[in-house]
Amino acid sequence: KAGVTQTPRYLIKTRGQQVTLSCSPISGHRSVSWYQQTPGQGLQFLFEYFSETQRNKGNFPGRFSGRQFSNSRSEMNVSTLELGDSALYLCASSPTVAGTDTQYFGPGTRLTVL
Amino acid sequence: AQTVTQSQPEMSVQEAETVTLSCTYDTSENNYYLFWYKQPPSRQMILVIRQEAYKQQNATENRFSVNFQKAAKSFSLKISDSQLGDTAMYFCAFTTSGTYKYIFGTGTRLKVLA
């Protein structure tokens, strides 16, 4: 089975722009989670989706949003980018509704905001 | 609030030796799940080991084993016969039913020396 894929792998944007990141989960996995990883804050939970429904959201401003499609692929969007949004954005998928399954991570999207 | 603490930012170990990484957590839940993930330099995060809190037996996976002390809320990872390929960032993570999110510790950077 193919693993979790994320596109693009690298992005450079300027302050004020917006960005959309994409995640394709492992085939058959219906839960997708997003995390922001920075050297100072570690891994911070952004949101989780299951069957197109957001089940939980982390403590991030409204500029961060996401969605999930019927094929379980997910996107996250960051509007009005700030320098502090520079980070590695990780997507993870898991197979069932439980929310306690092992999560399988993608390689991440490295976002640099100038 | 549920928290995960990794008190060792960096560690090093000689090849073939044994090393133990510490993790403590705080929760009022009785049923939860604990994980150790490994993130090699510039590579994606992979699961090392998983422990269900209701299981008294400590999980093992080849050279990796945990010491799960539920009363002390401690979940340490022991790596035996360390190999150069074990050099990575190690994250401890926690989740409970119904939260649909993982909480990660800040990580321990492990370097295996030849």
Side-chain angles (χ1 to χ4, degrees), chain A residues 35 37 43 45 48 55-56 90 97-103 105-107, chain B residues 33 35 37 39 44-45 47 50 91 95-102 104:
Chain A
Y35 296 86
Q37 185 177 13
L43 279 107
F45 170 77
E48 190 266 0
R55 298 194 294 185
N56 200 354
L90 295 172
V97 68
T100 54
D101 297 319
T102 295
Q103 291 189 346
F105 284 82
Chain B
Y33 302 78
F35 308 83
Y37 278 88
Q39 188 177 41
Q44 67 195 75
M45 192 116 68
L47 177 72
R50 167 191 168 102
F91 291 96
T95 192
T96 59
S97 287
T99 61
Y100 311 116
K101 72 182 226 184
Y102 278 26
F104 283 85

Side-chain angles (χ1 to χ4, degrees), chain A residues 1-2 6-9 11-12 16 20 23 25 35 37 41-42 44 59 61 63 69 76 81 95 98-99 102-103 114:
Chain A
K1 261 187 189 177
Q6 292 187 245
T7 56
R9 292 292 311 279
L11 264 179
I12 299 175
T20 299
C23 171
Y35 296 86
Q37 185 177 13
Q41 299 293 319
Q44 301 289 315
N59 189 25
R63 301 185 296 107
F69 302 95
M76 67 163 281
L81 283 166
T102 295
Q103 291 189 346
L114 302 176

